[in-house]
PDB file of all heavy atoms in Angstrom:
ATOM      1  N   GLY A  73     -13.540  -3.736   6.578  1.00 95.00           N
ATOM      2  CA  GLY A  73     -14.384  -2.888   5.766  1.00 95.00           C
ATOM      3  C   GLY A  73     -14.286  -1.407   6.028  1.00 95.00           C
ATOM      4  O   GLY A  73     -14.875  -0.582   5.369  1.00 95.00           O
ATOM      5  N   ALA A  74     -13.435  -1.019   7.018  1.00 97.00           N
ATOM      6  CA  ALA A  74     -13.352   0.375   7.431  1.00 97.00           C
ATOM      7  C   ALA A  74     -12.034   0.974   6.913  1.00 97.00           C
ATOM      8  O   ALA A  74     -10.961   0.391   7.082  1.00 97.00           O
ATOM      9  CB  ALA A  74     -13.412   0.508   8.939  1.00 97.00           C
ATOM     10  N   PRO A  75     -12.109   2.153   6.263  1.00 97.00           N
ATOM     11  CA  PRO A  75     -10.824   2.816   5.790  1.00 97.00           C
ATOM     12  C   PRO A  75      -9.889   3.103   6.928  1.00 97.00           C
ATOM     13  O   PRO A  75     -10.322   3.450   8.034  1.00 97.00           O
ATOM     14  CB  PRO A  75     -11.350   4.062   5.116  1.00 97.00           C
ATOM     15  CG  PRO A  75     -12.788   3.834   4.805  1.00 97.00           C
ATOM     16  CD  PRO A  75     -13.289   2.913   5.877  1.00 97.00           C
ATOM     17  N   VAL A  76      -8.587   3.015   6.642  1.00 97.00           N
ATOM     18  CA  VAL A  76      -7.566   3.222   7.683  1.00 97.00           C
ATOM     19  C   VAL A  76      -7.030   4.648   7.518  1.00 97.00           C
ATOM     20  O   VAL A  76      -6.597   5.063   6.444  1.00 97.00           O
ATOM     21  CB  VAL A  76      -6.427   2.186   7.537  1.00 97.00           C
ATOM     22  CG1 VAL A  76      -5.305   2.472   8.545  1.00 97.00           C
ATOM     23  CG2 VAL A  76      -6.985   0.807   7.771  1.00 97.00           C
ATOM     24  N   ILE A  77      -6.999   5.376   8.660  1.00 98.00           N
ATOM     25  CA  ILE A  77      -6.502   6.772   8.716  1.00 98.00           C
ATOM     26  C   ILE A  77      -5.421   6.815   9.802  1.00 98.00           C
ATOM     27  O   ILE A  77      -5.669   6.504  10.991  1.00 98.00           O
ATOM     28  CB  ILE A  77      -7.622   7.726   8.977  1.00 98.00           C
ATOM     29  CG1 ILE A  77      -8.669   7.690   7.860  1.00 98.00           C
ATOM     30  CG2 ILE A  77      -7.050   9.161   9.119  1.00 98.00           C
ATOM     31  CD1 ILE A  77      -9.856   8.596   8.159  1.00 98.00           C
ATOM     32  N   PHE A  78      -4.242   7.273   9.424  1.00 97.00           N
ATOM     33  CA  PHE A  78      -3.090   7.452  10.376  1.00 97.00           C
ATOM     34  C   PHE A  78      -3.019   8.920  10.703  1.00 97.00           C
ATOM     35  O   PHE A  78      -2.869   9.757   9.822  1.00 97.00           O
ATOM     36  CB  PHE A  78      -1.837   6.960   9.735  1.00 97.00           C
ATOM     37  CG  PHE A  78      -0.575   7.336  10.407  1.00 97.00           C
ATOM     38  CD1 PHE A  78      -0.393   7.131  11.761  1.00 97.00           C
ATOM     39  CD2 PHE A  78       0.498   7.924   9.706  1.00 97.00           C
ATOM     40  CE1 PHE A  78       0.811   7.505  12.395  1.00 97.00           C
ATOM     41  CE2 PHE A  78       1.672   8.297  10.329  1.00 97.00           C
ATOM     42  CZ  PHE A  78       1.801   8.076  11.681  1.00 97.00           C
ATOM     43  N   CYS A  79      -3.102   9.263  11.999  1.00 98.00           N
ATOM     44  CA  CYS A  79      -3.045  10.635  12.448  1.00 98.00           C
ATOM     45  C   CYS A  79      -1.587  10.978  12.804  1.00 98.00           C
ATOM     46  O   CYS A  79      -1.046  10.449  13.761  1.00 98.00           O
ATOM     47  CB  CYS A  79      -3.944  10.860  13.620  1.00 98.00           C
ATOM     48  SG  CYS A  79      -5.707  10.564  13.177  1.00 98.00           S
ATOM     49  N   TYR A  80      -0.993  11.882  12.024  1.00 95.00           N
ATOM     50  CA  TYR A  80       0.435  12.186  12.162  1.00 95.00           C
ATOM     51  C   TYR A  80       0.668  13.251  13.271  1.00 95.00           C
ATOM     52  O   TYR A  80       1.408  12.969  14.222  1.00 95.00           O
ATOM     53  CB  TYR A  80       0.932  12.716  10.764  1.00 95.00           C
ATOM     54  CG  TYR A  80       2.300  13.266  10.794  1.00 95.00           C
ATOM     55  CD1 TYR A  80       3.332  12.694  11.520  1.00 95.00           C
ATOM     56  CD2 TYR A  80       2.623  14.386   9.987  1.00 95.00           C
ATOM     57  CE1 TYR A  80       4.628  13.215  11.535  1.00 95.00           C
ATOM     58  CE2 TYR A  80       3.921  14.903   9.963  1.00 95.00           C
ATOM     59  CZ  TYR A  80       4.892  14.308  10.695  1.00 95.00           C
ATOM     60  OH  TYR A  80       6.192  14.828  10.687  1.00 95.00           O
ATOM     61  N   ILE A  81       0.126  14.449  13.152  1.00 93.00           N
ATOM     62  CA  ILE A  81       0.372  15.465  14.143  1.00 93.00           C
ATOM     63  C   ILE A  81      -0.659  15.170  15.289  1.00 93.00           C
ATOM     64  O   ILE A  81      -1.817  15.476  15.176  1.00 93.00           O
ATOM     65  CB  ILE A  81       0.098  16.889  13.594  1.00 93.00           C
ATOM     66  CG1 ILE A  81       0.962  17.101  12.357  1.00 93.00           C
ATOM     67  CG2 ILE A  81       0.336  17.933  14.660  1.00 93.00           C
ATOM     68  CD1 ILE A  81       2.452  17.113  12.635  1.00 93.00           C
ATOM     69  N   MET A  82      -0.159  14.595  16.383  1.00 95.00           N
ATOM     70  CA  MET A  82      -1.064  13.999  17.409  1.00 95.00           C
ATOM     71  C   MET A  82      -1.210  14.889  18.637  1.00 95.00           C
ATOM     72  O   MET A  82      -2.343  15.154  19.075  1.00 95.00           O
ATOM     73  CB  MET A  82      -0.431  12.666  17.862  1.00 95.00           C
ATOM     74  CG  MET A  82      -0.857  11.457  17.033  1.00 95.00           C
ATOM     75  SD  MET A  82      -2.591  11.104  17.037  1.00 95.00           S
ATOM     76  CE  MET A  82      -2.969  11.073  18.738  1.00 95.00           C
ATOM     77  N   PHE A  83      -0.124  15.315  19.236  1.00 96.00           N
ATOM     78  CA  PHE A  83      -0.194  15.754  20.596  1.00 96.00           C
ATOM     79  C   PHE A  83      -0.388  17.271  20.709  1.00 96.00           C
ATOM     80  O   PHE A  83      -0.196  17.871  21.771  1.00 96.00           O
ATOM     81  CB  PHE A  83       1.081  15.349  21.343  1.00 96.00           C
ATOM     82  CG  PHE A  83       1.311  13.828  21.299  1.00 96.00           C
ATOM     83  CD1 PHE A  83       2.545  13.323  21.092  1.00 96.00           C
ATOM     84  CD2 PHE A  83       0.232  12.964  21.444  1.00 96.00           C
ATOM     85  CE1 PHE A  83       2.790  11.935  21.029  1.00 96.00           C
ATOM     86  CE2 PHE A  83       0.421  11.592  21.357  1.00 96.00           C
ATOM     87  CZ  PHE A  83       1.702  11.081  21.174  1.00 96.00           C
ATOM     88  N   ASN A  84      -0.807  17.927  19.610  1.00 95.00           N
ATOM     89  CA  ASN A  84      -1.191  19.345  19.690  1.00 95.00           C
ATOM     90  C   ASN A  84      -2.632  19.440  20.162  1.00 95.00           C
ATOM     91  O   ASN A  84      -3.145  20.557  20.294  1.00 95.00           O
ATOM     92  CB  ASN A  84      -1.011  20.028  18.347  1.00 95.00           C
ATOM     93  CG  ASN A  84      -1.840  19.441  17.238  1.00 95.00           C
ATOM     94  OD1 ASN A  84      -2.362  18.323  17.411  1.00 95.00           O
ATOM     95  ND2 ASN A  84      -1.959  20.091  16.151  1.00 95.00           N
ATOM     96  N   ARG A  85      -3.298  18.320  20.391  1.00 96.00           N
ATOM     97  CA  ARG A  85      -4.671  18.345  20.934  1.00 96.00           C
ATOM     98  C   ARG A  85      -4.838  17.116  21.894  1.00 96.00           C
ATOM     99  O   ARG A  85      -4.112  16.115  21.789  1.00 96.00           O
ATOM    100  CB  ARG A  85      -5.749  18.355  19.862  1.00 96.00           C
ATOM    101  CG  ARG A  85      -5.577  17.259  18.861  1.00 96.00           C
ATOM    102  CD  ARG A  85      -6.480  17.440  17.597  1.00 96.00           C
ATOM    103  NE  ARG A  85      -7.401  18.547  17.588  1.00 96.00           N
ATOM    104  CZ  ARG A  85      -7.270  19.617  16.748  1.00 96.00           C
ATOM    105  NH1 ARG A  85      -6.265  19.704  15.924  1.00 96.00           N
ATOM    106  NH2 ARG A  85      -8.148  20.578  16.757  1.00 96.00           N
ATOM    107  N   SER A  86      -5.777  17.243  22.816  1.00 97.00           N
ATOM    108  CA  SER A  86      -5.981  16.203  23.807  1.00 97.00           C
ATOM    109  C   SER A  86      -6.742  15.019  23.224  1.00 97.00           C
ATOM    110  O   SER A  86      -7.344  15.102  22.156  1.00 97.00           O
ATOM    111  CB  SER A  86      -6.822  16.775  24.955  1.00 97.00           C
ATOM    112  OG  SER A  86      -8.155  17.025  24.551  1.00 97.00           O
ATOM    113  N   PRO A  87      -6.754  13.851  23.913  1.00 98.00           N
ATOM    114  CA  PRO A  87      -7.554  12.739  23.456  1.00 98.00           C
ATOM    115  C   PRO A  87      -9.026  13.062  23.308  1.00 98.00           C
ATOM    116  O   PRO A  87      -9.663  12.585  22.396  1.00 98.00           O
ATOM    117  CB  PRO A  87      -7.299  11.675  24.559  1.00 98.00           C
ATOM    118  CG  PRO A  87      -6.033  12.059  25.172  1.00 98.00           C
ATOM    119  CD  PRO A  87      -5.959  13.543  25.109  1.00 98.00           C
ATOM    120  N   GLU A  88      -9.500  13.885  24.238  1.00 98.00           N
ATOM    121  CA  GLU A  88     -10.892  14.311  24.222  1.00 98.00           C
ATOM    122  C   GLU A  88     -11.210  15.119  22.987  1.00 98.00           C
ATOM    123  O   GLU A  88     -12.264  15.027  22.371  1.00 98.00           O
ATOM    124  CB  GLU A  88     -11.272  15.027  25.469  1.00 98.00           C
ATOM    125  CG  GLU A  88     -11.246  14.221  26.719  1.00 98.00           C
ATOM    126  CD  GLU A  88      -9.816  13.938  27.270  1.00 98.00           C
ATOM    127  OE1 GLU A  88      -8.904  14.627  26.833  1.00 98.00           O
ATOM    128  OE2 GLU A  88      -9.673  12.992  28.082  1.00 98.00           O
ATOM    129  N   ASP A  89     -10.258  15.993  22.569  1.00 98.00           N
ATOM    130  CA  ASP A  89     -10.390  16.759  21.369  1.00 98.00           C
ATOM    131  C   ASP A  89     -10.478  15.838  20.145  1.00 98.00           C
ATOM    132  O   ASP A  89     -11.325  15.988  19.240  1.00 98.00           O
ATOM    133  CB  ASP A  89      -9.221  17.702  21.199  1.00 98.00           C
ATOM    134  CG  ASP A  89      -9.219  18.850  22.155  1.00 98.00           C
ATOM    135  OD1 ASP A  89     -10.310  19.196  22.628  1.00 98.00           O
ATOM    136  OD2 ASP A  89      -8.149  19.408  22.455  1.00 98.00           O
ATOM    137  N   TRP A  90      -9.607  14.819  20.128  1.00 98.00           N
ATOM    138  CA  TRP A  90      -9.606  13.874  19.029  1.00 98.00           C
ATOM    139  C   TRP A  90     -10.942  13.143  18.943  1.00 98.00           C
ATOM    140  O   TRP A  90     -11.442  12.852  17.857  1.00 98.00           O
ATOM    141  CB  TRP A  90      -8.437  12.870  19.129  1.00 98.00           C
ATOM    142  CG  TRP A  90      -7.183  13.356  18.615  1.00 98.00           C
ATOM    143  CD1 TRP A  90      -6.051  13.702  19.280  1.00 98.00           C
ATOM    144  CD2 TRP A  90      -6.884  13.585  17.213  1.00 98.00           C
ATOM    145  NE1 TRP A  90      -5.043  14.115  18.426  1.00 98.00           N
ATOM    146  CE2 TRP A  90      -5.538  14.051  17.144  1.00 98.00           C
ATOM    147  CE3 TRP A  90      -7.576  13.447  16.060  1.00 98.00           C
ATOM    148  CZ2 TRP A  90      -4.905  14.356  15.948  1.00 98.00           C
ATOM    149  CZ3 TRP A  90      -6.959  13.752  14.806  1.00 98.00           C
ATOM    150  CH2 TRP A  90      -5.636  14.201  14.806  1.00 98.00           C
ATOM    151  N   LYS A  91     -11.526  12.795  20.099  1.00 98.00           N
ATOM    152  CA  LYS A  91     -12.796  12.077  20.061  1.00 98.00           C
ATOM    153  C   LYS A  91     -13.888  12.911  19.426  1.00 98.00           C
ATOM    154  O   LYS A  91     -14.725  12.383  18.678  1.00 98.00           O
ATOM    155  CB  LYS A  91     -13.219  11.728  21.500  1.00 98.00           C
ATOM    156  CG  LYS A  91     -14.449  10.842  21.545  1.00 98.00           C
ATOM    157  CD  LYS A  91     -14.821  10.423  22.947  1.00 98.00           C
ATOM    158  CE  LYS A  91     -15.956   9.377  22.921  1.00 98.00           C
ATOM    159  NZ  LYS A  91     -17.120   9.780  22.155  1.00 98.00           N
ATOM    160  N   ILE A  92     -13.902  14.207  19.668  1.00 98.00           N
ATOM    161  CA  ILE A  92     -14.866  15.095  19.064  1.00 98.00           C
ATOM    162  C   ILE A  92     -14.709  15.051  17.545  1.00 98.00           C
ATOM    163  O   ILE A  92     -15.701  14.867  16.804  1.00 98.00           O
ATOM    164  CB  ILE A  92     -14.727  16.539  19.564  1.00 98.00           C
ATOM    165  CG1 ILE A  92     -15.082  16.625  21.053  1.00 98.00           C
ATOM    166  CG2 ILE A  92     -15.525  17.510  18.734  1.00 98.00           C
ATOM    167  CD1 ILE A  92     -14.768  17.975  21.683  1.00 98.00           C
ATOM    168  N   ILE A  93     -13.508  15.170  17.064  1.00 98.00           N
ATOM    169  CA  ILE A  93     -13.253  15.178  15.602  1.00 98.00           C
ATOM    170  C   ILE A  93     -13.634  13.837  14.991  1.00 98.00           C
ATOM    171  O   ILE A  93     -14.287  13.749  13.941  1.00 98.00           O
ATOM    172  CB  ILE A  93     -11.748  15.499  15.351  1.00 98.00           C
ATOM    173  CG1 ILE A  93     -11.506  16.972  15.725  1.00 98.00           C
ATOM    174  CG2 ILE A  93     -11.411  15.283  13.864  1.00 98.00           C
ATOM    175  CD1 ILE A  93     -10.018  17.328  15.681  1.00 98.00           C
TER     176      ILE A  93
END
Side-chain angles (χ1 to χ4, degrees):
V76 176
I77 299 176
F78 166 52
C79 297
Y80 171 38
I81 305 296
M82 275 297 308
F83 305 138
N84 60 345
R85 52 191 358 110
S86 70
E88 294 75 17
D89 289 335
W90 275 111
K91 186 177 188 308
I92 292 171
I93 293 171

